[in-house]
Every structure is written in structure tokens, then in C-alpha cells.
Amino acid sequence: MKNGRVLILGIETSCDETAAAVVADGREILSNVVSSQVEIHRRFGGVVPEVASRKHLEMLNPVIDLALKGAGVSLGDLDAVAVTQGPGLLGSLLVGLMVAKSLAFVLRLPLIAVHHIRAHVYANFLAHPRVNFPFVALVVSGGHTDLIYATSHSDFRLIGRTKDDAAGEAFDKVARFLGLGYPGGPAIERKARQGDPTAFPLPRLHTSGDFDTSFSGLKTAVIYRWRQAQERGEKVRVEDVAASFQATVVEILEEKAFAAVRAFKVPTLLLAGGVAANGHLRERFATRAQAEGVKLLLPPPVLCTDNAAMVAAAAYYQFLRGDFAPLTVSADAGLPLS
Amino acid sequence: MRLVLGIETSTAQALGVAVVGEEGLLAEATARGEKRHAEYLFSFIEWVLKSAEVKLEELSGIAVSIGPGSFTGIRLGVAVAKTLAQVLSLPVFGVPTLEVLALPWSAQPLPVCPLVPSRRQEVFAALYRRGELLKGPWAASPAEVAAELRSLDSVLLTGAGAGLYASVFRELLGERVVFPVPLPDSPSAQVIAFRGLELLRQGARGDLFELSPLYLRPPAISGGG
């Protein structure tokens, strides 16, 4: 601690956002810079890995510069450099990792390798003054649908995941099918606001017993039912399809998350990840949490999508326990949670 | 005393780091091997600086190969070179990988065609004479590159692509192709560092925000979605 508090520079390049942030004591965001590539990938209808990697290399150094200036700190003030090690796109992860290693090497600072999904959970530690263990966390994004049971900062257990598509991926695919554009989450949410969630009934495809989810069948059902309606000459409103699809995804997530809360007997449920920015999901979870007497914690939407402040926040607790990475550490596209 | 650190990660053939000064090479580390560049690069930098008894703060510039070659490999070196330059406030120079392969042959009169293997049975190539770029660079099949070389009386082929496609070039160009023995197949970090030193002497700016890779191929789009 050079200034009476721990200053960590976080770097995040696991997918299509180039991000850097400076966070004090794992809690106070001094700067949080995100350079989004969404406009670039929009015309391809999804993230193109090689395009993303190239853009990260172009943007990361200026983004770090902005994050330091925005925080009003110089490189010499930092106590550690944190970077997303995985999971994510390998080529993209490597850009962030090599830049972080360079900084740690020259500045002789500890390097902290952070798990991307854990980082999402820590967005809640930035947003809320007190987060008590144990809790269940649901991390939903374009790449992940993970249910986690955590008893301490060093004990995160994966208790459920998607068997096929991530929830956000299902949003993207259905949005593309409906011609609503990319990214699918916000596009479907906008349409769904004018739709009737009961007008286009979809099967409830709950998997039994466990906490795993599945969205591939639901996506197929949307496409099948849509085509069936077209053949029969039925008039189907895109708004109704969007609303029905969104409601079904949220219902599946809700059932699994609250079942986990009951099974693990925890008082608190955390939501995180890009899909946690969805307004309908936030409302449904809030209502259900109140009814069941569960404490629900959500980050603000800006901290739900990929950012580096959450990386620095997660890294702070690794810093406290001396969990540092050597400069030989490699990126891992499929890094396991524990 | 000017000191330049050279970094080579642009091909799968080898990882290399060198530090050079006005009096010549101070230290160099090279290892053959694929896909370990990200892990060992800093061990190499550390060893080279220590062996040369040079502190990071004493460096006057950074030089790095910018491709064409392995997309991921190029990015590793460029990301590190840019960041070292950013933190140490140093000039940083990008040297095309094909130029790195051609430069050791600058003192002899034959035109030189360095060849770096690419995906799908293709190569990255260009034509140099005395260190000057004459034609290219190309991303093409070995046969297409051979067609570009047909008008020459004699041409020296170098780089890993020369060894890999020797028979194709011999068949299409016959006696006109010359292969150095032994065939140097990987770009040298020392050559990169010396090129950086030369650019530094010439007063080149070496702005890190202007340093970009030479991919020579657009990204493959098939992975979208």
C-alpha cells in the first residue's frame, strides 16, 4: 500500500470489450474505461474472434492511458496489475495478458490472474457496501450461464451451468432469426416491451433436479413455431415472440436460481453478467426475491456487461491473500472456476 | 550509449529476444518451439537483460517484428513492445518480419525472397535487394510467388517457407533458385534490434500509437456468431 489504500489496475479483454480500470481497496472505482467493439461486430451478427483480437491490440494501450488519467494516478502509485486470464476468446485474452505482464514486469508489481466469471460476481462488491457470504450467484452473459455457490472469497463452487447455449447466446440467435440485429439482448428487450408474453406460447423446457440449464431447445422451438405459424397463415407479431421468448428464458433462470438458494440454504442471491442488465429479468427476480424473503443483489447495468473494474475488484481479494501469478502464466480459454 | 531491445514472436518457428548496443550484440536468447511464446517471453527478456548487464531503464528503444506471420504471435510481441515503450517512455520500432529475414543478406548482390509459411499451404513473401523492398509483400501460394520470381536470373530463397516448399521452387524455377546452407528459417531478434538501433540513429520517432501489425490478410469471418 503506497497511499494507505490498495490501488489495482484491472485489464479485461476476454471478448469484445477493451477495458481498463483503477479500483481502490476493491471497492471504490477511480476510473472505469470500456471501449466497445459492438458496432464493429454488429455487421457480422456476432463477435468475430480475429477482429476482436486485432481491435484489442489497437485500443488497449490508449484505454489504459485513459484509465490512469481518469483516476488521477500514475503507474508508480499502483500496487498490482490484474488481468482476466480466462475463460474467453484465446486471442483476445492473450492481448490483455501480455500487456498486463509487461506492466507488472517493468513496474515490478504483483500480477493477478483473474477468472472472468468470478470477476462478474465481484461487480456486486463494487455496487453494494456489504456482501455477506455464503451466497448463490447467477452469472448470465453471452458466453456463460453459471450458478455459483460461494462460502468465502477463496471458495467459489460451480453448481450449475448451461448444457448448450448460454442465455445471452440464445438471445443473440433468436434476435438474428427475427431480424432484430445484434446484440440480441437489448434488441429483444426493446421489442418485448410492446409484446404479449402469453401470445406465443413456448414449451417450458426445464431440466430436472440439477441446476443446469438448456436454451438450445427453446431457440429451436421459437424457430419451429414461427415457421409453423407462417405455413398456417397465422399472423404472428415479432413483439409477442420477443416477449414470450424473453419471459421463458427469465422463468428458467429464475426457477434454477431460487431452487439453488433453497437447496444451499443461503440468505443472498447475486446476479451478474450482461444478461443481468435485462430489465424484465431484474424486475422478475426482485419480485420473487421479495416474496421468498431472499436478499437480492444486482450491479447497475454498466457493471453487468464486461468491464475492468470488476476485474480489479476481484483481484483485490486475491491481493490480500497473496494469490499472485508468475510472468509465465498463460491465458486459458476454458479456465475452470475452481 | 544507445541500447535497443529486440523482440521476435511473429512466427511459430522461434521465440527470440536480443539486446544490442553501438559496439554490437550484447546478449541474445532464441528457442525453437511453437505456442510457448506467451509463457517464456518475459523469462527471455529477463535473462537477456541480466546477461547483458543492462537495466530496463538504460534502454534507448524497443524493436519488434510486426509480421506477416502468425496472427497471435505478432500480437504478443507488438503488445509487449508497445507497453514497454509506454511505461518506459521509449521509442518503439516495428520491423516487417520478411525484412528481418532479408536483412542478413544485404551485403551480397542477389535478390532475396524471404518466405514465411502461412495457413492453407500458402506463404507470405516479398522480394528484397540489398535490404530494399523491390516487390510485394504477398500472401500467396508458393507457385504464385514462383511466378513473380520468374523474370529474375537468380534469386536467393530464405526463411522457413523456403525449406518447406523447396521442391516447388526447384521444379518451377530450376537453376535460378539458390538456397543458403544452412538455411536460416527463423527471424532473428538480433537483426530486429540492430534495425531498431539504425532507425534510432536516423532520428525516427517510433511513436507507440502508430505501431501496428502487418497482418497482410483480412481476418477470417467464419467464426462469427
Side-chain angles (χ1 to χ4, degrees):
Chain A
M1 278 195 295
K2 295 167 186 169
N3 315 279
R5 53 185 187 165
V6 177
L7 291 184
I8 298 181
L9 171 71
I11 294 172
E12 153 66 35
T13 61
S14 69
C15 190
D16 62 339
E17 316 279 14
T18 313
V22 180
V23 173
D25 290 334
R27 186 166 301 283
E28 191 193 340
I29 301 175
L30 302 187
S31 65
N32 187 19
V33 181
V34 180
S35 167
S36 177
Q37 304 177 6
V38 68
E39 289 307 321
I40 298 161
H41 297 284
R42 195 189 298 276
R43 63 193 141 116
F44 305 117
V47 178
V48 183
E50 178 61 22
V51 172
S53 303
R54 291 184 181 193
K55 204 66 195 167
H56 286 309
L57 181 63
E58 194 184 318
M59 295 311 297
L60 186 52
N61 295 91
V63 162
I64 289 172
D65 211 32
L66 269 178
L68 291 167
K69 283 187 182 130
V73 303
S74 64
L75 286 165
D77 298 329
L78 296 173
D79 293 287
V81 179
V83 64
T84 308
Q85 185 193 0
L89 303 169
L90 187 61
S92 291
L93 289 165
L94 277 170
V95 174
L97 186 73
M98 295 314 278
V99 168
K101 282 188 190 185
S102 306
L103 291 167
F105 177 69
V106 180
L107 301 167
R108 294 178 181 86
L109 289 177
L111 175 71
I112 301 173
V114 176
H115 190 282
H116 182 66
I117 301 305
R118 283 178 65 100
H120 271 300
V121 174
Y122 278 89
N124 281 293
F125 287 75
L126 289 168
H128 306 288
R130 275 192 79 82
V131 181
N132 293 324
F133 289 95
F135 57 72
V136 162
L138 171 65
V139 181
V140 254
S141 69
H144 310 274
T145 307
D146 290 351
L147 264 170
I148 293 157
Y149 169 57
T151 58
S152 74
H153 288 294
S154 53
D155 182 23
F156 276 50
R157 247 174 286 167
L158 183 68
I159 54 171
R161 61 189 311 179
T162 177
K163 289 175 175 162
D164 37 60
D165 292 350
E169 199 178 349
F171 271 98
D172 284 342
K173 287 177 176 172
V174 168
R176 193 186 310 163
F177 175 74
L178 296 174
L180 300 180
Y182 172 87
I188 285 190
E189 190 180 356
R190 266 192 307 276
K191 281 285 172 197
R193 275 189 215 122
Q194 282 105 50
D196 173 2
T198 61
F200 187 81
L202 289 163
R204 295 288 178 269
L205 296 152
H206 293 198
T207 46
S208 59
D210 58 18
F211 304 111
D212 288 340
T213 48
S214 165
F215 295 100
S216 175
L218 179 62
K219 171 201 70 193
T220 310
V222 169
I223 295 169
Y224 178 76
R225 283 233 40 223
W226 172 272
R227 290 199 175 129
Q228 199 178 40
Q230 300 286 309
E231 277 162 25
R232 288 178 186 161
E234 290 170 23
K235 182 111 181 80
V236 182
R237 293 173 68 231
V238 171
E239 288 81 356
D240 294 339
V241 180
S244 301
F245 169 73
Q246 176 179 269
T248 309
V249 171
V250 169
E251 192 186 312
I252 293 169
L253 294 171
E254 188 186 319
E255 289 310 320
K256 293 291 178 182
F258 283 91
V261 167
R262 278 193 304 276
F264 287 87
K265 300 183 173 67
V266 294
T268 313
L269 173 63
L270 272 59
L271 274 177
V275 178
N278 181 286
H280 176 66
L281 180 139
R282 295 172 80 93
E283 279 165 33
R284 287 284 314 192
F285 271 71
T287 308
R288 177 76 171 264
Q290 199 167 24
E292 299 211 4
V294 172
K295 186 179 179 190
L296 177 73
L297 297 178
L298 294 146
V302 67
L303 291 177
C304 286
T305 45
D306 288 350
N307 65 85
M310 67 186 197
V311 175
Y316 171 70
Y317 300 93
Q318 290 177 250
F319 180 89
L320 293 182
R321 60 175 189 267
D323 177 7
F324 304 137
L327 289 177
T328 48
V329 68
S330 198
D332 186 347
L335 186 68
L337 185 70
S338 45
Chain B
M1 168 84 165
R2 294 191 184 97
L3 296 165
V4 175
L5 180 77
I7 298 172
E8 166 53 41
T9 59
S10 70
T11 75
Q13 277 78 47
L15 165 66
V17 176
V19 62
V20 304
E22 309 282 357
E23 78 237 275
L25 174 69
L26 299 181
E28 179 166 21
T30 305
R32 190 175 191 85
E34 296 184 28
K35 294 177 180 166
R36 312 298 281 189
H37 296 359
E39 286 160 56
Y40 298 134
L41 179 54
F42 283 94
S43 309
F44 276 42
I45 295 176
E46 213 160 10
W47 184 86
V48 161
L49 290 174
K50 202 176 160 197
S51 306
E53 295 180 1
V54 169
K55 291 193 181 71
L56 269 172
E57 294 73 20
E58 292 170 337
L59 292 173
S60 340
I62 313 280
V64 63
S65 57
I66 55 168
S70 143
F71 292 165
T72 299
I74 295 167
R75 275 192 287 273
L76 297 180
V78 171
V80 170
K82 276 171 95 161
T83 311
L84 294 181
Q86 184 179 19
V87 182
L88 296 165
S89 304
L90 291 177
V92 58
F93 306 104
V95 189
T97 302
L98 296 166
E99 188 181 319
V100 179
L101 287 164
L103 279 172
W105 305 98
S106 305
Q108 55 81 47
L110 282 186
V112 180
C113 178
L115 295 145
V116 170
S118 164
R119 286 181 184 174
R120 293 182 301 252
Q121 310 278 299
E122 293 192 334
V123 288
F124 297 117
L127 192 65
Y128 289 85
R129 195 200 302 262
R130 299 198 185 279
E132 295 292 319
L133 180 68
L134 297 182
K135 278 170 99 176
W138 312 289
S141 70
E144 286 167 319
V145 173
E148 293 281 349
L149 305 178
R150 201 164 292 150
S151 60
L152 302 167
D153 293 332
S154 211
V155 59
L156 190 145
L157 303 188
T158 187
L164 200 56
Y165 298 108
S167 58
V168 178
F169 286 99
R170 279 211 182 90
E171 191 190 316
L172 295 171
L173 298 172
E175 297 297 304
R176 280 172 287 182
V177 288
V178 179
F179 293 92
V181 180
L183 184 71
D185 69 349
S186 60
S188 147
Q190 182 185 155
V191 172
I192 295 164
F194 277 123
R195 178 68 186 135
L197 186 64
E198 196 183 325
L199 289 165
L200 201 61
R201 277 201 205 105
Q202 290 167 5
R205 282 179 56 223
D207 185 340
L208 83 99
F209 293 111
E210 281 166 21
L211 177 69
S212 31
L214 182 61
Y215 293 111
L216 216 60
R217 267 194 192 290
I221 304 301
S222 57

